Amino acid sequence: MTTARRGNPAGDTVLLGVAGLAGLLLIIELMPRLGLVDERFLPPASRIMAALAEEAASGAFWTALSDTLVAWALGLAIAVAAGVLAGLVIGSVPALRALTASTVEFLRPIPSVALIPLAVLLYGTDLGSTLLLVCYAAFWQVLVQVLYGVADVDPVAFETARSFRFSAWARIRHVLWPTALPYVFTGVRLAASVALVLAITAELVIGSPGLGKEIAVAQASEAVPTMYALIVVTGVLGVLINLLARTGERRLLAWHQSVRGEVSA
Amino acid sequence: MNVLKKVVLALALPAVLFGAWWVLSAGSESYYSPPLSKILAAFRTTWTPTQLEAEVLPSLLRLFAGFALAALIGVGAGVAIGLNRRLRAVMEPVLEFFRAIPPPVLVPVIMLFAGIGDTMKVIVIVFGCIWPILLNTVEGVRAVDSVVLDTARSYGVNGTARITRVVLPSASPQIAAGLRQALSIAIILMVISEMFAASNGLGFTIVQFQRSFAIPEMWSGIILLGLLGFVLSLLFRLAERRALRWYEGLRAAQRSS
Amino acid sequence: MLEVKGLRKVYQSGSREVEALRDLTFTVENGDLVCLVGPSGCGKTTLLRCLAGLLAPTAGDVRVDGKAVDGPPEGMAVVFQEYGRSLFPWMNVRDNVELPLKQKKVPKRRRQELIEQSLDAVGLTGSAAAYPWQLSGGMQQRVAIARAVAYEPRTLLMDEPFAAVDAQTRADLEDLVRELWKRLGVTILFVTHDIDESVYLGQRVVMLSSSPTVVQDELLIDLPADRDQLTTRADPRFIALRTRVYEQIQAAKKNAER
C-alpha cells in the first residue's frame, strides 16, 4: 500500500480509473450471467457490446447520430449567440438589468420539458421541436453566466475607460468583453451539456429524428441490448462533449490571469 | 421608498409582458395560441382543488420521495468516496460516465425493471438526479481545508463528530449547489416519466390535453408547470439561504477584506 | 514534559526526497515557556506537526509526559497560524470552543463554566454568539486561544499564532499569552520567526538552523518574570539577548548558503 502511494500519483489515478470502468463492465457481465438480474432486463456487457458493433455497422445509426449532433450544434449556436447578445445588452444597461432580473428569475426555473406539448403542436416531429427545447434550455445557461460576467467588471477599470473618454463601443470591446469572456466560456460549457441532454430527451419523448428516437424504437421493439448500446453511446457522447468543452475552455483562456472557478448559482 | 422601487422594478416587466400577451392574443383566431383570457379561464376550470389533489399531488409526492432518496444516498456515498483517495480514483470515471448519460433515457431502462408504477418514477428520479449530488459532495469533501482537518484531529474530534460537525458543514455549500442542480433534473424527470407511462400526474395530464387538442387547457398546464418550477426553486433558495447563512457571511467578509 | 529526540523528517514526492528536519533534540520542562525561532522556511511547521501528532516522523521520537506520540496526544492543544481556517466558520464562537469539550465528554455544566472562563480570559465575554468571520483577525486568534485554554491542556503548542495580525494587536496578544501561562501553569511551546517576539515571550529560546533543520543553539532568557512591552523591550539585557539570537540566526542562514 505504501509503495503504491509513493508511485507516480497521476499514473496511479489513471490506472485505478481504468480498473473502475473494467469493474463496472465485469459487474454488468456477471450479474445477468449468474442470474442475479433477468437477462431480458439487463443483458451481459458482451451482448451490449455486440449490439453496439451491430449498430456501428448500420447506416441508420450514423444518420441518427448525425441528426442528434446537428440538432445539438445548431441549438447550441443559436442559444449562445442569443444569450451573449442579450447578456451584454441587459448587463451593460443598469436599468435594463433591474427591470429584467425578476423575469429572468421567473423564466429560468421553468422546466424545459413543459414546452414539449407546445413543440409538438408547432413542429410535429421535425428538427424544429428538438431545436426549440435545446435553445430554450441552453439559452439560460449562457445568459446567466454572461450577466455574472458583466457584473464582475471592475468599476475602477470602467471609470478609467470613461476618464480616457473611450466611446461606448470601445468600453464594451476593451473592458466589458475581456472581463466577461471567461464567464461566457463557462456558460458555453454548461450549455453544451444541457443542449445534449435536451436534444436526446426531445427525440426520445417527441420522436424527432436522432439517437433518442432510436432508443424509443429499440424499447418499443424490445431490442434490449440495442437500447443499452444506444444509451452507452449517449453517455460517451456526453463525456466527450464535456471533455471537449473543458479543454477548449482551458486552452482559449490560457492567457487569462485566472481561469475562474464556476459561479455556483 | 427603496422597497417600493424594488417592487415596481421587479413587477414592471412581467406586467408589461403579461399585458402584451393579453392584448396581442385577445382577438387571436389561431388554433395554437388562444387568447390569454381563454387560457386563464381554462386554468380556473381545469385546476380545481380536487383536480390539483388528483393530478398534482401524486406528482409532487414522487418528486419529493425521489429527491430525498437521491440526496440521502448521494451525500452518504459522496462522503465515503470523498474521504477515500483510492475509492475516488476508482469511481471517478464511472461516475462521470453515469452523469453524462442524459437522465431521461433511463426511463425506458427502469421501466423494464420496475414496470410503470410509482416505484418506476421514483427510481427514475433517484437515478437521474443522484449524480450531481454525489459528485458535488465528493468535490466538497475533498476540498475541506487541511487546517480545519488538522484542528479537528488535534482536538480529538473524531469518528461521527468529525463527519457531522466538520466535514459535512464544510462541504455544505458545494452539496447545496449539487442539490439545486438535482432539483431541476428531478422536476424534468417527474414530468417525463409521467409523459411516458402513467395514469395520473401533471405530465400525463398535459400530454392528454395536447393529444385531445384541448389547447387552452394544455397552455394552462404549461403555466402551472412553470409556476411549480419557479416556486420549488424559490423554496429551495430560501432553505439554502437559511442553512448557509454562515457561508454568505464568510464570503462577504472575505470580499470586503 | 515534552521530549524530542533525534527527530528526522524526510518528505517523499515521487522519486524525489526532501529532507525537512535532519536531527532535532530538545526538551521542554513542565511549566516552561519555550520559543522556537528560526529563519524562514526552516521546517518549523513540519516540526510542530510532528509534535502535535499530525505527521509521523521518519526517525527519532517525540514524548509527551513520557508517552511516545503516535497521534494527537491527550492533554495537548494547538493554536494554528491560520486562525481564519482553523476556526470553523459554520459555528459561532461558543460552539467553536465547545466542540472539543464535547468530544472530551466534559459534562454540560462544566462546559458552560469553561467556555465562560476562557472567553473571559481572552477578553471576549460578549462575543460568544458571534461568528468568527464577524470578528477582526486579532479577535479571531483570541477565540482560537480561548478554545485551546478551555480544553485545559497540560501542553500548548502555538504555531506562529500572531504572524498574520497587525503589530499593535500582536503586542496585546503576546502579553495575553504571558499572562495565561503564568496563571494556568501550562507548558507552552511557541513557534515564531520573529526574534524579538521569541525573546520577549520565552523563558528559553531554541534556535533552529535552515532546512534541513538541526538545533543551532539554545539560550536561557534571564529577564524578570514580569515583562511589559515598554520597559522590557528597552532593557539593555533584552537588547543583548536579541542580538545573540539574531547573530545565531544569521549564522544559520550563512551556513545554509555555503
Side-chain angles (χ1 to χ4, degrees), chain A residues 184-244:
Chain A
V184 173
F185 280 120
T186 307
V188 172
R189 177 163 58 76
L190 297 175
S193 301
V194 168
L196 181 72
V197 170
L198 262 294
I200 288 169
T201 304
E203 293 158 7
L204 180 74
V205 180
I206 299 174
S208 46
L211 284 175
K213 184 185 174 188
E214 296 301 309
I215 293 175
V217 169
Q219 182 221 4
S221 55
E222 287 179 25
V224 176
T226 311
M227 184 178 87
Y228 275 100
L230 290 169
I231 289 174
V232 170
V233 172
T234 63
V236 171
L237 214 53
V239 171
L240 285 180
I241 284 177
N242 217 331
L243 228 57
L244 201 75

Side-chain angles (χ1 to χ4, degrees), chain A residues 5-262:
Chain A
R5 186 160 289 188
R6 273 180 198 165
N8 176 5
D12 246 27
T13 311
V14 171
L15 231 92
L16 286 172
V18 171
L21 286 173
L24 180 70
L25 281 178
L26 197 68
I27 290 171
I28 295 179
E29 179 71 29
L30 288 180
M31 287 232 303
R33 291 227 183 269
L34 296 175
L36 293 173
V37 293
D38 195 323
E39 208 168 308
R40 286 173 308 163
F41 297 165
L42 178 67
S46 51
R47 286 259 308 278
I48 299 177
M49 293 297 195
L52 189 59
E54 220 172 276
E55 280 296 306
S58 80
F61 167 75
W62 294 104
T63 319
L65 181 64
S66 81
D67 281 340
T68 298
L69 285 178
V70 165
W72 169 76
L74 212 56
L76 183 62
I78 297 172
V80 168
V84 169
L85 198 68
L88 285 181
V89 170
I90 293 173
S92 52
V93 183
L96 264 183
R97 207 184 319 173
L99 268 173
T100 51
S102 64
T103 313
V104 170
E105 285 309 300
F106 179 76
L107 290 177
R108 190 159 69 113
I110 292 179
S112 40
V113 289
L115 299 179
I116 286 179
L118 188 64
V120 173
L121 284 179
L122 290 177
Y123 301 105
T125 55
D126 288 342
L127 177 66
S129 276
T130 316
L131 277 182
L132 179 68
L133 295 193
V134 171
C135 288
Y136 179 82
F139 171 75
W140 298 111
Q141 303 286 340
V142 181
L143 177 71
V144 169
Q145 289 296 328
V146 175
L147 286 180
Y148 280 131
V150 175
D152 193 44
V153 169
D154 191 338
V156 178
F158 217 80
E159 302 274 281
T160 312
R162 282 188 65 172
S163 73
F164 283 111
R165 305 177 63 84
F166 278 34
S167 67
W169 167 246
R171 285 206 296 271
I172 291 179
R173 170 77 189 73
H174 295 291
V175 181
L176 204 68
W177 180 245
T179 317
L181 198 57
Y183 291 88
V184 173
F185 280 120
T186 307
V188 172
R189 177 163 58 76
L190 297 175
S193 301
V194 168
L196 181 72
V197 170
L198 262 294
I200 288 169
T201 304
E203 293 158 7
L204 180 74
V205 180
I206 299 174
S208 46
L211 284 175
K213 184 185 174 188
E214 296 301 309
I215 293 175
V217 169
Q219 182 221 4
S221 55
E222 287 179 25
V224 176
T226 311
M227 184 178 87
Y228 275 100
L230 290 169
I231 289 174
V232 170
V233 172
T234 63
V236 171
L237 214 53
V239 171
L240 285 180
I241 284 177
N242 217 331
L243 228 57
L244 201 75
R246 251 183 241 199
T247 11
E249 189 181 8
R250 217 165 295 154
R251 277 277 175 80
L252 289 165
L253 287 182
W255 56 271
H256 203 272
Q257 70 266 47
S258 64
V259 177
R260 273 156 225 268
E262 216 158 280

